[in-house]
């Protein structure tokens, strides 16, 4: 066994795509399978070798033929494996399942998949170790899991084995009984669903299905296929509207199915809670699909389900109620279930996530006769009265999530009752909100602060029409801000959210007006610079509201900026200066600017003359010039942040982009992330270029050609570079913002170590109206293997913003590493052939690292000439006029050679290959197979 398998498997699992980009996937898979068949390898190592097939079967077996061949190989390994190696046999079954499912062999009912199903069923029926050590039991459990996975991936695969599966379930008395129950109910559900899709199916078809024991693959009939949309529906039929559940009209004659369901229900209590929930979920779907079976068959289980403490069982009970409503649940059952949810929502022994789940169930309770018609909106059940909901009143001792969930529930309850200002429930909620506010005032934690503002938003969302409480809350928030100015972002966010959801309501504007009042009336001798920074943020937001007068704001700014005791101008703080200018800029856009002209001009002039920061002075001077020379209409246009409203127009940079606002400057300096690729690199179909030195004098006049050829490699870096050409083009559909791009910088990242690191490439510009620029990518191989190169780019758009964008990967194919024989152009054909023959003789002598191989294919004379003309003309050394034998030399930097002798024999074309790097053989074999197959198809 190769000593490096552990490292190779570890490297593969770390990055499967990166590992496979540096090797041939088919060759790697062949090596894995060969090692698995090797009797010298231990079973522990073989389990390790199976991990790529268990976890990444889709990468290694991408086609159906590859999956079929791999599955046959694995089954032969399974047949030769002794029974005592139970762990390895279990892993083999899992790997086989993954290969057949991922390669679509199972869905296509291939021969290998049908043989594997026979093997799984044979293992599942083998009950030979009932009193043994459990080795066979472990294998049977794995086989059962594999059968369930195959059925889940390919619904209906086991539909003709229902009677066999029922017998296995009934005779199994050990812990595998649970696995057989899950398998049988899944197969039964899928089989009934497929019958609902067949026109004219009825009771006779259902009876034949339940009693049949004929293999679906032995009967030569085309199995019904389930398309992708139906497979998506099969994930759960009862989570959507029940009117969309397909029906199988059997009439009352379906006693066989009823008997099976009754047997499953009687055994359900033996299962674990999770398995019970899965079983009930499938049984609900079955009863919903077959109207001939009344929902009352589930009635006997309700008493146990209604009293359960398991979350999964209570959830499936709610699903049952949603599916069958009053045909299964009486009014008393409904009331009891709702009361139980209320009790569980505040039970002290349950965790917070469980209680939140139960409260969510109350808000989405499936009523027998629902009044609302919404499927996703929160709505209270009719039976949830304020008295019943009083057990869920919020308290300050609740955690944040529970408190907000309870507050939301109580708000819906009191809103449903239509409580006004005098309502006791509404008063309680407001008192609770006030209690949270007092905690925040006393210096509560960040979690308490966030909880309070979310609670305030919920209260305003439901009860904004109650003026008494909304006005009082506004006053309390203003006082809270004065005590804790660092809460400015929270308060402004509350304003923003309420304006978004309640655009027609004036509470947010009233709060901003109140904040303006408390800020401007506060004594200036107690004002600190941190408080001033928060005040400026609030006043800038206040100035955006055209309905709020701004004279008091300007009076406050004037007092702060011009008073002799102020240290603001002397400090020269750039951020505070920009904060003042931000308020002034918004006042410039205020509708009442004419009445504010003089006080605003005084503030700007004072900043321009006295502020300690040059940048702030320059911007203040610009504002002053605009204010005193431009009308309000033109000023609004100049300061507009974006172009006129028109849909998809690209934003233009205006003077505001270079003005005082720090956020505008930050927007310009930020590197923005594009959501998708803006441009791509497409291969330019041009011949590879190479640079060679001029031949020395007399180099072709005598001496050995091979020695002269090798002497060239004494110069460092000789013929070691490959130049690939690509065109840089916009992706489709292109974004209008990126029609003109400048200063493009392409960055390349390697996915393996086969090549030297690549340098960044700069492109001056890219316009949609101009020809695509050519990008020359110079590669320096360490090993000439295929590779993938990740690409990203930074560029500047026409509005002056800097963007970062991903670029689709570059895939370097094996044939792109080919170069012609690197010899001077003056060398004759005879001398080149002499080099070829010298290299051929050395490689055939089995020197270290050398190897020879043979590739055969069936190509006619015209097809062979066309193949040479298209793929090997630049590398052909022999006379192209010859009809039967050709010599081709492929040079792969840095020093690899691939020599081909192509000859046309009687029944085939032979490619005799010799190379000084045996690791290139899998790549050249795949390349020849691809081009000869394509050429044969083209000629045909």
């Amino acid at each position: 066994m190769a000593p490096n398998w552990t490292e190779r498997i570890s490297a593969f699992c770390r990055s499967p795509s990166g590992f496979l980009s540096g090797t041939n996937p088919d060759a790697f898979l062949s090596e894995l399978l060969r090692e698995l068949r090797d009797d010298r390898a231990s079973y522990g190592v073989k389990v390790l070798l199976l991990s790529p097939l268990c976890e990444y079967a889709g990468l290694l077996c991408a086609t159906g033929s590859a999956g079929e061949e791999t599955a046959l190989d694995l089954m032969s390994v399974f047949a030769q494996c002794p029974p005592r190696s139970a762990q390895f046999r279990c892993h083999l079954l899992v790997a086989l399942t993954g290969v057949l499912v991922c390669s679509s062999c199972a869905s296509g009912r291939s021969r290998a998949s049908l043989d594997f199903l026979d093997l799984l069923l044979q293992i599942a029926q083998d009950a030979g170790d009932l009193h043994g050590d459990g080795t066979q039991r472990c294998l049977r459990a794995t086989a059962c899991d594999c059968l369930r996975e195959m059925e889940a991936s390919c619904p209906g695969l086991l539909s003709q084995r229902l009677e066999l599966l029922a017998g296995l379930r009934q005779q199994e008395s050990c812990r595998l009984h649970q696995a057989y129950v899950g398998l049988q109910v899944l197969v039964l559900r899928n089989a009934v669903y497929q019958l609902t899709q067949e026109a004219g199916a009825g009771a006779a078809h259902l009876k034949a299905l339940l009693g049949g024991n004929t293999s679906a693959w032995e009967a030569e009939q085309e199995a019904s296929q389930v398309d992708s949309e139906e497979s998506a529906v099969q994930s759960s039929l009862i989570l959507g509207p029940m009117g969309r559940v397909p029906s199988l009209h059997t009439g009352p004659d379906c006693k066989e199915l009823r008997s099976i369901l009754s047997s499953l229900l009687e055994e359900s209590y033996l299962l674990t809670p999770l398995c019970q929930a899965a079983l009930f979920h499938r049984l609900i779907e079955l009863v919903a699909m077959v109207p001939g079976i009344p929902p009352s068959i589930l009635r006997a289980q309700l008493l146990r389900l209604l009293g359960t403490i398991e979350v999964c069982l209570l959830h499936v009970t709610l699903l049952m109620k949603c599916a069958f409503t009053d045909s299964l649940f009486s009014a008393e059952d409904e009331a009891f279930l709702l009361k139980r949810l209320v009790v569980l929502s505040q039970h002290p022994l349950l965790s917070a996530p469980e209680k939140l789940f139960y409260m969510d169930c109350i808000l989405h309770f499936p009523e027998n006769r629902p009044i609302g018609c919404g499927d996703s909106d929160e709505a209270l059940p009719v039976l949830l009265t304020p008295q019943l909901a009083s057990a869920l009143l919020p308290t300050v001792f609740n955690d944040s999530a529970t408190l907000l969930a309870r507050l939301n529930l109580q708000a819906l309850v009191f809103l449903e009752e239509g409580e006004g200002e005098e309502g006791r429930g509404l008063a309680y909620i407001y008192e609770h909100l006030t209690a949270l506010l007092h905690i925040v005032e006393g210096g509560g934690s960040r979690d308490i602060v966030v909880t309070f503002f979310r609670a305030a938003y919920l209260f305003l969302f439901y009860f904004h029409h109650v003026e008494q409480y909304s006005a009082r809350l506004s006053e309390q928030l203003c006082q809270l801000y004065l005590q804790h100015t660092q809460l400015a972002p929270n308060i402004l966010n509350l304003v923003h959210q309420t304006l978004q959801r309640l655009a027609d309501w004036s509470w947010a504007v009233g709060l901003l007006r109140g904040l303006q009042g408390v800020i401007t009336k506060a004594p200036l001798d107690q004002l600190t610079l941190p408080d001033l920074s928060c005040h400026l943020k609030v006043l800038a937001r206040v100035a955006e509201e055209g309905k709020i007068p701004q004279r008091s704001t300007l009076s406050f700014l004037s007092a702060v900026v011009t008073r002799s005791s102020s240290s603001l101008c002397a400090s020269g703080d750039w951020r505070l200066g920009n904060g003042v200018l931000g308020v002034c800029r918004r006042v410039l856009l205020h509708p009442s600017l004419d009445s504010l002209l003089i006080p605003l001009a005084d503030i700007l002039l004072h900043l321009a003359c006295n502020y300690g920061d040059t940048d702030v002075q320059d911007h203040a001077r610009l504002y002053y010039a605009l204010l005193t020379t431009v009308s309000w209409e033109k000023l609004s246009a100049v300061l507009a942040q974006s172009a006129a409203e028109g849909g998809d127009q690209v934003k233009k940079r205006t003077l505001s982009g270079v003005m005082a606002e720090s956020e505008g400057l930050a927007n310009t300096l930020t590197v923005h992330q594009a959501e998708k690729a803006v441009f791509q690199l497409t291969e330019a179909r041009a011949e590879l270029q190479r640079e060679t030195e001029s031949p020395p004098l007399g180099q072709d006049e005598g001496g050995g050609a091979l020695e002269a050829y090798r002497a060239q490699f004494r110069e460092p870096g000789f013929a070691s570079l490959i130049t690939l050409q690509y065109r840089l083009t916009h992706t489709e559909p292109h974004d209008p913002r990126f029609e003109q791009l400048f200063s493009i910088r392409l960055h390349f990242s390697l996915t393996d170590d086969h090549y030297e690191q690549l340098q960044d490439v700069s492109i001056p510009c890219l316009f949609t109206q101009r020809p695509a620029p050519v990008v020359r990518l110079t590669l320096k191989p360490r090993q000439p293997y295929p590779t993938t190169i990740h690409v990203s780019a930074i560029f500047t758009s026409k509005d002056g913003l800097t963007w970062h964008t991903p670029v689709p990967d570059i895939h370097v194919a094996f044939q792109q590493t080919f170069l012609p024989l690197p010899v001077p152009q003056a060398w004759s054909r005879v001398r080149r052939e002499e080099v070829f023959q010298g290299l051929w003789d050395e490689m055939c002598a089995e020197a270290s690292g050398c190897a020879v191989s043979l590739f055969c294919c069936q190509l006619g004379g015209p097809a062979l000439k066309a193949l040479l003309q298209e793929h090997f003309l630049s590398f052909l050394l022999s006379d192209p006029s010859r009809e039967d034998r050709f010599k081709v030399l492929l040079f792969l930097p840095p020093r690899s050679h691939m020599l081909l002798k192509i000859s046309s024999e009687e029944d085939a074309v032979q490619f005799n290959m010799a190379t000084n790097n045996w690791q290139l053989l899998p790549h050249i074999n795949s390349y020849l197979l691809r081009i000869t197959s394509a050429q044969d198809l083209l000629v045909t």
Side-chain angles (χ1 to χ4, degrees), residues 277-300:
L279 172 64
F280 282 121
H281 196 159
R282 298 304 182 191
L283 294 181
I284 294 169
E285 292 179 310
L286 281 167
V287 175
M289 285 190 291
V290 185
I293 299 179
S296 58
I297 193 174
L298 303 169
R299 182 70 187 177

Short mmCIF file of all heavy atoms in Angstrom, two decimals, residues 277-300:
data_model
loop_
_atom_site.label_atom_id
_atom_site.label_comp_id
_atom_site.label_asym_id
_atom_site.label_seq_id
_atom_site.Cartn_x
_atom_site.Cartn_y
_atom_site.Cartn_z
N ALA A 277 -42.96 11.00 16.45
CA ALA A 277 -43.38 12.20 15.72
C ALA A 277 -43.27 11.98 14.22
O ALA A 277 -44.17 12.36 13.45
CB ALA A 277 -42.52 13.39 16.16
N ALA A 278 -42.17 11.35 13.77
CA ALA A 278 -42.03 11.07 12.34
C ALA A 278 -43.10 10.10 11.86
O ALA A 278 -43.66 10.26 10.77
CB ALA A 278 -40.62 10.50 12.08
N LEU A 279 -43.41 9.08 12.68
CA LEU A 279 -44.45 8.12 12.32
C LEU A 279 -45.80 8.80 12.19
O LEU A 279 -46.52 8.62 11.20
CB LEU A 279 -44.51 7.01 13.37
CG LEU A 279 -45.67 6.02 13.24
CD1 LEU A 279 -45.58 5.23 11.95
CD2 LEU A 279 -45.73 5.08 14.45
N PHE A 280 -46.18 9.61 13.18
CA PHE A 280 -47.47 10.30 13.12
C PHE A 280 -47.55 11.26 11.95
O PHE A 280 -48.61 11.41 11.32
CB PHE A 280 -47.72 11.04 14.44
CG PHE A 280 -48.18 10.15 15.55
CD1 PHE A 280 -47.45 10.06 16.73
CD2 PHE A 280 -49.33 9.39 15.43
CE1 PHE A 280 -47.86 9.23 17.77
CE2 PHE A 280 -49.75 8.55 16.46
CZ PHE A 280 -49.01 8.47 17.63
N HIS A 281 -46.43 11.90 11.65
CA HIS A 281 -46.42 12.82 10.50
C HIS A 281 -46.77 12.08 9.22
O HIS A 281 -47.60 12.55 8.42
CB HIS A 281 -45.03 13.46 10.39
CG HIS A 281 -44.99 14.67 9.51
ND1 HIS A 281 -44.02 15.61 9.59
CD2 HIS A 281 -45.81 15.08 8.52
CE1 HIS A 281 -44.24 16.55 8.70
NE2 HIS A 281 -45.31 16.25 8.03
N ARG A 282 -46.17 10.90 8.99
CA ARG A 282 -46.47 10.13 7.78
C ARG A 282 -47.90 9.58 7.81
O ARG A 282 -48.58 9.55 6.78
CB ARG A 282 -45.47 8.97 7.66
CG ARG A 282 -44.03 9.38 7.51
CD ARG A 282 -43.81 10.30 6.34
NE ARG A 282 -42.42 10.66 6.17
CZ ARG A 282 -42.00 11.62 5.35
NH1 ARG A 282 -42.88 12.32 4.67
NH2 ARG A 282 -40.72 11.91 5.23
N LEU A 283 -48.35 9.15 9.01
CA LEU A 283 -49.72 8.63 9.09
C LEU A 283 -50.75 9.71 8.83
O LEU A 283 -51.81 9.45 8.22
CB LEU A 283 -49.94 8.00 10.46
CG LEU A 283 -49.11 6.74 10.77
CD1 LEU A 283 -49.44 6.21 12.16
CD2 LEU A 283 -49.34 5.66 9.71
N ILE A 284 -50.49 10.92 9.28
CA ILE A 284 -51.41 12.03 9.00
C ILE A 284 -51.51 12.24 7.50
O ILE A 284 -52.60 12.45 6.94
CB ILE A 284 -50.94 13.31 9.72
CG1 ILE A 284 -51.04 13.15 11.23
CG2 ILE A 284 -51.77 14.51 9.28
CD1 ILE A 284 -50.35 14.26 12.01
N GLU A 285 -50.36 12.19 6.81
CA GLU A 285 -50.38 12.37 5.36
C GLU A 285 -51.17 11.25 4.69
O GLU A 285 -51.93 11.49 3.74
CB GLU A 285 -48.95 12.40 4.83
CG GLU A 285 -48.16 13.62 5.26
CD GLU A 285 -46.74 13.60 4.74
OE1 GLU A 285 -46.05 12.59 4.92
OE2 GLU A 285 -46.32 14.61 4.16
N LEU A 286 -51.00 10.02 5.17
CA LEU A 286 -51.73 8.90 4.57
C LEU A 286 -53.23 9.06 4.74
O LEU A 286 -54.02 8.87 3.80
CB LEU A 286 -51.26 7.59 5.20
CG LEU A 286 -49.94 7.02 4.69
CD1 LEU A 286 -49.44 5.92 5.60
CD2 LEU A 286 -50.12 6.49 3.27
N VAL A 287 -53.66 9.40 5.94
CA VAL A 287 -55.10 9.57 6.19
C VAL A 287 -55.64 10.72 5.37
O VAL A 287 -56.77 10.68 4.85
CB VAL A 287 -55.36 9.77 7.69
CG1 VAL A 287 -56.82 10.08 7.96
CG2 VAL A 287 -54.93 8.54 8.48
N ALA A 288 -54.85 11.79 5.21
CA ALA A 288 -55.30 12.94 4.43
C ALA A 288 -55.42 12.58 2.95
O ALA A 288 -56.29 13.11 2.25
CB ALA A 288 -54.34 14.11 4.61
N MET A 289 -54.57 11.67 2.45
CA MET A 289 -54.61 11.30 1.03
C MET A 289 -55.68 10.27 0.72
O MET A 289 -56.08 10.12 -0.44
CB MET A 289 -53.24 10.76 0.60
CG MET A 289 -52.17 11.82 0.43
SD MET A 289 -50.66 11.19 -0.34
CE MET A 289 -50.02 10.13 0.93
N VAL A 290 -56.15 9.51 1.70
CA VAL A 290 -57.14 8.45 1.46
C VAL A 290 -58.42 8.83 2.22
O VAL A 290 -58.55 8.53 3.42
CB VAL A 290 -56.61 7.08 1.93
CG1 VAL A 290 -57.61 5.99 1.57
CG2 VAL A 290 -55.26 6.78 1.30
N PRO A 291 -59.37 9.47 1.57
CA PRO A 291 -60.61 9.88 2.27
C PRO A 291 -61.41 8.71 2.82
O PRO A 291 -62.23 8.89 3.73
CB PRO A 291 -61.40 10.63 1.19
CG PRO A 291 -60.38 11.02 0.16
CD PRO A 291 -59.35 9.95 0.19
N GLY A 292 -61.18 7.49 2.29
CA GLY A 292 -61.92 6.34 2.77
C GLY A 292 -61.57 5.95 4.20
O GLY A 292 -62.30 5.16 4.82
N ILE A 293 -60.47 6.45 4.71
CA ILE A 293 -60.08 6.18 6.11
C ILE A 293 -60.43 7.40 6.94
O ILE A 293 -59.87 8.48 6.71
CB ILE A 293 -58.58 5.86 6.21
CG1 ILE A 293 -58.26 4.61 5.40
CG2 ILE A 293 -58.15 5.69 7.66
CD1 ILE A 293 -56.81 4.22 5.43
N PRO A 294 -61.32 7.27 7.90
CA PRO A 294 -61.72 8.44 8.69
C PRO A 294 -60.61 8.87 9.64
O PRO A 294 -59.84 8.03 10.15
CB PRO A 294 -62.94 7.94 9.46
CG PRO A 294 -62.74 6.47 9.57
CD PRO A 294 -62.03 6.04 8.30
N PRO A 295 -60.48 10.17 9.91
CA PRO A 295 -59.48 10.64 10.87
C PRO A 295 -59.67 10.08 12.28
O PRO A 295 -58.74 10.10 13.08
CB PRO A 295 -59.66 12.16 10.86
CG PRO A 295 -60.32 12.46 9.55
CD PRO A 295 -61.20 11.28 9.26
N SER A 296 -60.87 9.54 12.56
CA SER A 296 -61.12 9.00 13.90
C SER A 296 -60.22 7.81 14.23
O SER A 296 -60.13 7.41 15.39
CB SER A 296 -62.59 8.57 14.01
OG SER A 296 -62.91 7.60 13.02
N ILE A 297 -59.52 7.25 13.22
CA ILE A 297 -58.61 6.15 13.50
C ILE A 297 -57.46 6.61 14.40
O ILE A 297 -56.85 5.80 15.10
CB ILE A 297 -58.07 5.57 12.17
CG1 ILE A 297 -57.37 4.23 12.40
CG2 ILE A 297 -57.11 6.55 11.50
CD1 ILE A 297 -56.94 3.54 11.12
N LEU A 298 -57.21 7.93 14.40
CA LEU A 298 -56.16 8.50 15.24
C LEU A 298 -56.67 8.90 16.62
O LEU A 298 -55.88 9.35 17.46
CB LEU A 298 -55.54 9.72 14.56
CG LEU A 298 -54.95 9.49 13.16
CD1 LEU A 298 -54.63 10.83 12.50
CD2 LEU A 298 -53.69 8.65 13.25
N ARG A 299 -57.96 8.75 16.84
CA ARG A 299 -58.57 9.27 18.07
C ARG A 299 -57.99 8.63 19.32
O ARG A 299 -57.80 9.29 20.35
CB ARG A 299 -60.10 9.01 18.00
CG ARG A 299 -60.88 9.53 19.19
CD ARG A 299 -60.93 11.03 19.21
NE ARG A 299 -61.53 11.53 20.44
CZ ARG A 299 -61.65 12.82 20.75
NH1 ARG A 299 -61.21 13.74 19.89
NH2 ARG A 299 -62.18 13.20 21.87
N ALA A 300 -57.70 7.34 19.24
CA ALA A 300 -57.23 6.63 20.43
C ALA A 300 -55.87 7.16 20.91
O ALA A 300 -55.52 6.97 22.08
CB ALA A 300 -57.12 5.14 20.12
#
